[in-house]
Amino acid sequence: AQSVTQLDSQVPVFEEAPVELRCNYSSSVSVYLFWYVQYPNQGLQLLLKYLSGSTLVKGINGFEAEFNKSQTSFHLRKPSVHISDTAEYFCAVGSYGGSQGNLIFGKGTKLSVKP
Amino acid sequence: EAGVAQSPRYKIIEKRQSVAFWCNPISGHATLYWYQQILGQGPKLLIQFQNNGVVDDSQLPKDRFSAERLKGVDSTLKIQPAKLEDSAVYLCASSLPKAYGYTFGSGTRLTVV
């Protein structure tokens, strides 16, 4: 069985500061991973995904994430955040060979960017 | 391209009543998903359709939840009768077949009182 742990439920940060949102997963098979962002009263928007290949993945809005198989992690980073990045971020994992649609989501990390 | 459309955006019902949600996926997306997102948690898959066939409904509480996908396009999710613990946001998503990652709608926020 797979699981996803987002280590921080809330992350406050000042504008223009760097940020890292942590995600660890557990799986006995090969995985693919996603980060989604959810703005208030909206659905989830795909930020980036790791399927295979290069472990450093770049996404929209200046975000990037690094897949670390040995650490079973997929942390999300941004070198300089903006007020508009305030939202909830979800890490999700799927397994190759399993049901393609059955992503397991973490509980989310609320990023709060302060001026 | 137009996104995934869902309606209504909000719904308040009393426990034991029934409710239905509607989803119109992106044109050409054969795969459609319904997720339940309870406050403070990540989304959980309820059911996955490929065209009008069910691929995975292992986490759908079938005693009270039902879903159908008419002609492989629109889909409805129904709860009958609703319980207090069904209060959540119900998200619909769609994708091309065998695509990794999909597009979500804005969701329907259900409050059961």
Side-chain angles (χ1 to χ4, degrees):
Chain A
Q2 300 161 3
S3 66
V4 176
T5 302
Q6 291 185 241
L7 296 157
D8 306 294
S9 60
Q10 297 188 57
V11 173
V13 64
F14 286 106
E15 192 174 18
E16 298 182 6
V19 70
E20 177 180 81
L21 306 184
R22 296 180 293 169
C23 172
N24 284 89
Y25 69 91
S26 173
S27 176
S28 57
V29 298
S30 295
V31 299
Y32 47 92
L33 294 139
F34 302 89
W35 275 99
Y36 282 88
V37 60
Q38 188 174 36
Y39 299 101
N41 298 315
Q42 295 188 26
L44 282 76
Q45 179 182 2
L46 182 65
L47 270 181
L48 49 78
K49 60 185 174 185
Y50 170 79
L51 303 181
S52 64
S54 173
T55 57
L56 183 62
V57 180
K58 294 189 183 297
I60 62 172
N61 301 339
F63 284 93
E64 64 180 31
E66 186 158 18
F67 173 64
N68 187 321
K69 188 175 180 179
S70 62
Q71 301 285 332
T72 61
S73 68
F74 190 55
H75 301 333
L76 181 70
R77 301 185 182 100
K78 186 169 183 178
S80 176
V81 294
H82 302 291
I83 297 287
S84 58
D85 293 323
T86 295
E88 191 159 19
Y89 293 79
F90 291 92
C91 180
V93 64
S95 65
Y96 286 105
S99 176
Q100 187 175 318
N102 194 1
L103 293 183
I104 307 299
F105 283 81
K107 292 187 175 183
T109 297
K110 290 183 179 178
L111 175 64
S112 176
V113 182
K114 305 175 186 301
Chain B
E1 61 179 8
V4 176
Q6 290 189 247
S7 67
R9 286 299 310 277
Y10 306 93
K11 190 73 176 178
I12 301 174
I13 62 172
E14 296 182 350
K15 59 183 179 184
R16 291 188 289 275
Q17 285 187 323
S18 62
V19 64
F21 314 126
W22 174 82
C23 173
N24 181 240
I26 291 173
S27 178
H29 281 195
T31 310
L32 184 146
Y33 313 82
W34 282 102
Y35 274 80
Q36 179 192 57
Q37 185 179 15
I38 294 173
L39 185 65
Q41 298 183 22
K44 182 187 81 171
L45 180 69
L46 291 175
I47 189 167
Q48 176 186 351
F49 290 95
Q50 182 76 16
N51 295 308
N52 59 355
V54 175
V55 174
D56 183 354
D57 64 355
S58 57
Q59 299 184 87
L60 186 74
K62 298 180 185 65
D63 58 333
R64 298 183 300 106
F65 286 66
S66 64
E68 61 179 3
R69 190 172 183 198
L70 305 173
K71 299 180 181 178
V73 182
D74 293 5
S75 178
T76 56
L77 176 69
K78 297 179 182 178
I79 307 175
Q80 181 178 9
K83 293 184 175 181
L84 296 176
E85 58 261 36
D86 298 332
S87 294
V89 176
Y90 290 85
L91 295 163
C92 180
S94 70
S95 72
L96 293 168
K98 300 185 179 181
Y100 293 95
Y102 27 82
T103 303
F104 282 89
S106 296
T108 295
R109 183 179 297 276
L110 174 67
T111 303
V112 182
V113 298

